[in-house]
Amino acid sequence: MNKLSNCWMTLLLLCAADFAIAQSTPMQVVTRTVEKTLPYRSGSEVNIEGEKAEIVVETWDRNEVKIVLELVAKHPDRAVAERDVKSIKFSIDQHGDMIYFRNYISPDEGQPKPESTLKAIYTVTLPDECPLYLKNYFGLANVSNLSRFLRLRTEFSNVFLQNLSGDIGLTTRFGDLNAQGLSGTVSIDARRSDITLHDISGDFDIRSTYGIIKLFTDESLVNLNIEAEKSDVYFFDPKPGIYGYTLTAHYGNISVPNDLKFNFLENSSATKRWKFSPTKEMATISIKISFGDIVIRNP
Amino acid sequence: MELHEHNKDRLRDALRELPSYEPPDDLWQPIQRELEEGESRPTLERAIGKLPEYEPPERVWISLQDSLQGQSLRSRKLRRWYPAAAAALLVGVIFTFWKQGQSHSDDYQVTTSYSVEFVDQDLLAPDWEEDEAAFALVEEWCAQTPLLCSNPDLQLLQRELQELTSAKETLVAALDQYGNDPDLIGQLAEIELERTSLLKQMLERMI
């Protein structure tokens, strides 16, 4: 009986899979992969400018910068995909200490506009101390383990950061920012982007418009300055009482743990200005918002 | 350097008569690649970094100065050639930089691979313009009856809607350029949800 039911189940699954494939269109995927390794000298910096690109940046212990760039075109007709993949142009250049990686879409002369779905995938590996300038439009950026300098500017791209330290500047528009383990001097300028930061320490300066900001700390040494408009700010820490707070909300609400005795410097429906100074201040949190809420909570 | 050789004239003649050979052209490229990118580069750089530095003795500077002063008369005649020489030098420098960029750009490893994916075309169907009439209607009402939309709250919502509409147009243009990509369609869906929510809020305030 058991064997019979197993057979039926297998048949049923095969039919379901067959039905699913029958509903789908096969897409021919043509991938051109470009690889290059460049010498790295102390003082070198890497610039990446991606368009419709997924950019992954990792680190290693070698004095080299390696790029693996995949240029992908998808179309039901393989000949069209093969033609269109050539419209993704790229450049890999080194001039002195400057290393440039770039891609853009431009059909060859006399060729029609691409009909395929196009994208570029960068995997860049470099020394952790190498300064990185990264720009991307339409895609994603995933950067980990840099220790010195990062400037990142993205639009319509989600950003994932892990274990970064040093001087970090992030500008993002229409794309969410998720980070784990940021430390150093961090500046974030976000518009229409949700920001979620875990395990942070150092000096943070965050400006946000139309976004939800969620910060998770764990008794961290963090000096935080947030100015946000039409945004909600959530600050989670297991011991929220160890920080000093200056919270200002114009046309918004403030919610804090009951055991923290705040001074209400101003508390009208239009403006709330609350302050809290702990007996032993570990760090300061300054949040100023308009048209949004501030929530301080023990998670 | 002075040669301390008794028959130095003979030696010079003998050296001059030695045959000379040019190495083949393809010998230089692997050497250059090895120097620029090879495994020995870090060792080479470390070794260069460790080289001692020496100050030249005073007499070298004096001799240089004397020889330059001797040439000052001739150099005046040469001065009018300076712009041409500078231009030639500049062209040379630019060419060298261009060649450097070229040489680094020329030796990629490029491979092409093929695979097949199954995509549900119904999900990628471009249906994002179907409700634009409703958005256009609200704009038309505001244009026809400005008093209706004079409320500051409503104006704020209208500005927000304009920003989102502009973002939508950017994404639609991206879909046209890069193809019907599921990630772009996902972003467009989020923006459409926000636009719809704004439209509802505007209608509530107008009615």
Side-chain angles (χ1 to χ4, degrees), chain B residues 56-72:
Chain B
E58 191 69 15
R59 62 187 163 81
V60 172
W61 299 117
I62 294 165
S63 143
L64 263 176
Q65 200 175 6
D66 289 348
S67 68
L68 285 171
Q69 276 168 356
Q71 285 176 354
S72 64

Side-chain angles (χ1 to χ4, degrees), chain A residues 127-141:
Chain A
D128 66 285
E129 56 155 51
C130 177
L132 173 67
Y133 291 83
L134 192 157
K135 278 187 195 175
N136 195 23
Y137 304 96
F138 310 107
L140 70 85

Side-chain angles (χ1 to χ4, degrees), chain A residues 4-295:
Chain A
L4 195 67
S5 63
N6 277 349
C7 279
W8 275 112
M9 281 297 285
T10 311
L11 196 65
L12 202 68
L13 281 172
L14 282 172
C15 286
D18 189 45
F19 180 74
I21 289 172
Q23 293 292 302
S24 308
T25 309
M27 296 285 267
Q28 304 294 326
V29 184
V30 179
T31 307
R32 281 182 81 203
T33 306
V34 184
E35 263 191 68
K36 191 163 170 64
T37 304
L38 301 155
Y40 170 82
R41 287 181 291 270
S42 186
S44 292
E45 59 181 52
V46 168
N47 289 261
I48 305 175
E49 193 165 337
E51 183 182 317
K52 189 63 177 54
E54 295 174 15
I55 301 173
V56 178
V57 179
E58 296 160 345
T59 59
W60 62 5
D61 292 336
R62 299 166 66 170
N63 272 334
E64 288 173 331
V65 176
K66 183 183 179 188
I67 175 170
V68 178
L69 177 58
E70 294 164 82
L71 312 170
V72 186
K74 298 178 190 176
H75 193 274
D77 184 343
R78 187 160 134 178
V80 175
E82 274 182 321
R83 180 199 70 198
D84 289 347
V85 79
K86 290 176 192 151
S87 69
I88 314 176
K89 300 292 188 294
F90 67 92
S91 59
I92 299 173
D93 290 315
Q94 184 168 25
H95 295 299
D97 287 341
M98 312 290 275
I99 295 170
Y100 297 96
F101 303 140
R102 185 183 172 217
N103 80 284
Y104 56 97
I105 313 293
S106 172
D108 288 336
E109 209 174 309
Q111 291 294 321
K113 202 178 127 201
E115 297 166 44
S116 309
T117 303
L118 306 171
K119 75 170 165 185
I121 304 169
Y122 292 74
T123 308
V124 175
T125 318
L126 38 73
D128 66 285
E129 56 155 51
C130 177
L132 173 67
Y133 291 83
L134 192 157
K135 278 187 195 175
N136 195 23
Y137 304 96
F138 310 107
L140 70 85
N142 192 332
V143 182
S144 52
N145 300 323
L146 289 183
S147 65
R148 204 167 133 208
F149 183 93
L150 169 67
R151 285 289 176 276
L152 183 141
R153 179 180 286 271
T154 57
E155 284 191 21
F156 298 99
S157 302
N158 286 333
V159 177
F160 302 91
L161 308 173
Q162 294 95 34
N163 188 30
L164 302 182
S165 54
D167 181 353
I168 300 167
L170 314 168
T171 306
T172 169
R173 184 173 167 265
F174 285 104
D176 297 337
L177 168 62
N178 288 279
Q180 171 88 43
L182 290 190
S183 64
T185 306
V186 182
S187 163
I188 301 175
D189 201 335
R191 186 171 179 87
R192 300 259 176 209
S193 303
D194 292 344
I195 300 170
T196 308
L197 309 179
H198 287 264
D199 184 21
I200 56 173
S201 61
D203 293 323
F204 281 70
D205 197 358
I206 302 175
R207 289 169 299 285
S208 163
T209 310
Y210 293 113
I212 295 170
I213 303 170
K214 288 183 183 166
L215 306 171
F216 295 83
T217 57
D218 189 359
E219 299 179 50
S220 311
L221 280 167
V222 63
N223 284 313
L224 196 60
N225 180 43
I226 300 179
E227 287 190 23
E229 206 181 312
K230 300 171 191 79
S231 302
D232 295 333
V233 179
Y234 297 85
F235 181 76
F236 301 102
D237 192 285
K239 288 185 182 170
I242 61 171
Y243 302 99
Y245 298 91
T246 305
L247 311 177
T248 309
H250 295 292
Y251 302 102
N253 292 312
I254 299 175
S255 165
V256 295
N258 290 331
D259 55 330
L260 300 190
K261 301 300 170 204
F262 271 79
N263 287 326
F264 300 146
L265 304 176
E266 200 173 346
N267 202 20
S268 69
S269 61
T271 305
K272 292 176 179 62
R273 215 148 54 85
W274 298 9
K275 199 170 168 59
F276 176 76
S277 306
T279 44
K280 190 183 167 194
E281 187 169 304
M282 191 156 168
T284 56
I285 313 288
S286 166
I287 306 174
K288 191 187 278 187
I289 62 159
S290 53
F291 301 104
D293 298 334
I294 301 172
V295 178

Side-chain angles (χ1 to χ4, degrees), chain B:
Chain B
M1 186 192 278
E2 194 66 31
L3 285 171
H4 298 288
E5 173 65 46
H6 297 297
N7 299 309
K8 61 185 178 187
D9 292 339
R10 278 189 194 174
L11 181 63
R12 275 207 187 103
D13 291 343
L15 285 171
R16 206 175 294 126
E17 281 168 19
L18 277 173
S20 64
Y21 299 101
E22 273 290 316
D25 283 347
D26 57 1
L27 186 74
W28 297 114
Q29 216 170 359
I31 292 172
Q32 189 183 3
R33 199 177 305 132
E34 176 57 28
L35 285 172
E36 286 179 348
E37 299 166 22
E39 286 176 3
S40 57
R41 176 155 190 130
T43 320
L44 197 65
E45 278 179 352
R46 270 198 302 277
I48 290 170
K50 283 179 190 167
L51 282 174
E53 287 181 16
Y54 298 105
E55 276 290 319
E58 191 69 15
R59 62 187 163 81
V60 172
W61 299 117
I62 294 165
S63 143
L64 263 176
Q65 200 175 6
D66 289 348
S67 68
L68 285 171
Q69 276 168 356
Q71 285 176 354
S72 64
L73 195 66
R74 201 166 31 148
S75 69
R76 233 172 275 154
K77 287 180 186 169
L78 284 172
R79 212 162 280 163
R80 59 186 165 150
W81 294 101
Y82 280 2
L89 187 67
L90 188 65
V91 168
V93 168
I94 290 169
F95 180 73
T96 310
F97 270 99
W98 178 76
K99 274 303 282 179
Q100 273 182 353
Q102 285 297 102
S103 66
H104 282 298
S105 311
D106 285 348
D107 48 357
Y108 309 124
Q109 292 173 28
V110 184
T111 53
T112 305
S113 59
Y114 300 88
S115 58
V116 179
E117 275 180 14
F118 288 89
V119 177
D120 190 340
Q121 289 294 337
D122 288 347
L123 287 177
L124 305 182
D127 59 356
W128 38 85
E129 300 296 344
E130 285 175 9
D131 302 314
E132 279 309 295
F135 290 93
L137 192 68
V138 171
E139 274 186 31
E140 203 179 306
W141 284 352
C142 283
Q144 283 176 357
T145 325
L147 195 65
L148 194 70
C149 300
S150 59
N151 180 328
D153 267 9
L154 202 63
Q155 284 183 350
L156 196 71
L157 292 171
Q158 203 176 4
R159 278 200 295 277
E160 206 179 322
L161 183 64
Q162 278 162 1
E163 188 189 358
L164 287 174
T165 304
S166 163
K168 178 192 169 170
E169 283 163 3
T170 306
L171 278 172
V172 170
L175 279 162
D176 183 50
Q177 189 172 11
Y178 311 124
N180 277 357
D181 180 88
D183 294 334
L184 290 179
I185 293 173
Q187 289 185 50
L188 192 57
E190 274 182 37
I191 286 176
E192 283 302 83
L193 281 173
E194 285 183 51
R195 287 179 81 225
T196 309
S197 160
L198 282 174
L199 188 73
K200 285 178 183 166
Q201 291 176 55
M202 287 173 76
L203 285 168
E204 276 171 19
R205 283 164 174 76
M206 288 166 93
I207 294 167

